Amino acid sequence: MADRVHPMPTPPPPSSSPPPAHDAATETTPLHPSFRGAPPPSPGTYIIQIPKDQVLRVPPPDRARRYKKLAARPLRRRRLRHACCAAFSAVLLLVLLAAAFVGAVYLVFRPRTPSFSVASLSIRGLDALAVSSSFTPQIDAAVRADNGANKKTGIDYRDGGEVTVSYSGKRLAAGPWPAFHQAPRNVTMFSTALSGKGVTFTEEQRKRLAAEQAAGAVPLTVEAIVPVRLRFGKVLRTWTVDVKARCEVTVDKLADKAAAAVADRGCRVKVRPLWWWW
């Protein structure tokens, strides 16, 4: 029996009608306008593309000088910072080396402050009992300088030192401190002549001085300012600095050819610290 062939149904013609609503809902919509392509230029507009390196590195000719000036500022600032850091480091290194040197010298030589005392005073021309409007005192002072505390450090007493004697804040006489070198573990006794002129007292000071003279206990102040330089060994020496000494003494008499007996109540010595001597 022969096979029967059934004809295929003819597909419907394409329709230009819009798709159903449920199919339109499945289409994707751009989330951001940037995803879309750039809008076409308007008619009569030209687009010129410039290489990126020329835009960033090559300024316009009219601003090339200003650009060069502004570009050089960071380089100058970096160089200035580097120079400042180098100078600060050098100064800090020098300070540390100097401190280490001073510390080593101190540990090796162990410098000590010298001590002073007034051995005697010979006073002339100062008599509170005398009827006089002014006095011209002449004082010979014997001073004892003791460097026994230093075993390795010598002391150079330089020119320009001064010794003064005062009573109740009024200067009576002044004279020079002699220049000499004092070796370690040395005690030196020296005498210096002091002189004054036109010394006057108030009535109250005159009465008090006369009473103290009659009692045999006149308080005086002996002060000295001496330029001193320390010597470590034979080569190493410090700068010259001033050493100040203040001694409170009491004498038993005034205006006598013989030296007055002195009761030394101690001398205070003021000197700068060791690091100041360098």
Side-chain angles (χ1 to χ4, degrees), residues 97-182:
L97 290 177
F101 177 74
V102 173
V105 170
Y106 178 81
L107 293 177
V108 172
F109 291 94
R110 298 285 182 175
R112 295 291 185 270
T113 303
S115 60
F116 307 99
S117 60
V118 179
S120 64
L121 291 175
S122 179
I123 305 173
R124 302 178 302 277
L126 183 64
D127 188 359
L129 301 178
V131 180
S132 177
S133 58
S134 63
F135 301 93
T136 305
Q138 302 293 326
I139 303 175
D140 293 330
V143 181
R144 182 175 184 269
D146 189 352
N147 192 33
N150 286 310
K151 300 179 180 180
K152 300 180 181 180
T153 304
I155 301 177
D156 292 334
Y157 296 97
R158 312 297 300 276
D159 292 326
E162 184 183 40
V163 183
T164 61
V165 177
S166 58
Y167 169 77
S168 186
K170 182 179 291 295
R171 176 179 289 195
L172 302 179
W177 180 293
F180 63 93
H181 170 71
Q182 190 172 27

Side-chain angles (χ1 to χ4, degrees), residues 209-256:
L209 182 59
E212 293 169 344
Q213 182 179 357
V218 180
L220 299 176
T221 300
V222 180
E223 296 177 291
I225 301 178
V226 190
V228 169
R229 183 174 62 184
L230 299 183
R231 181 184 296 185
F232 303 107
K234 297 182 179 180
V235 180
L236 186 60
R237 300 179 183 180
T238 63
W239 299 106
T240 300
V241 297
D242 289 339
V243 173
K244 300 179 181 180
R246 180 185 178 93
C247 306
E248 302 293 342
V249 301
T250 301
V251 297
D252 61 345
K253 53 187 174 181
L254 299 173
D256 198 336

Side-chain angles (χ1 to χ4, degrees), residues 196-214:
K197 184 178 180 181
V199 179
T200 59
F201 297 104
T202 63
E203 188 64 26
E204 182 181 355
Q205 288 176 336
R206 185 187 290 270
K207 291 180 180 180
R208 186 170 67 251
L209 182 59
E212 293 169 344
Q213 182 179 357

Side-chain angles (χ1 to χ4, degrees), residues 34-59:
S34 61
F35 292 160
R36 301 175 181 176
S42 59
T45 302
Y46 298 92
I47 300 177
I48 301 177
Q49 295 184 354
I50 301 176
K52 184 177 181 181
D53 56 348
Q54 294 185 12
V55 174
L56 298 179
R57 301 179 185 177
V58 181

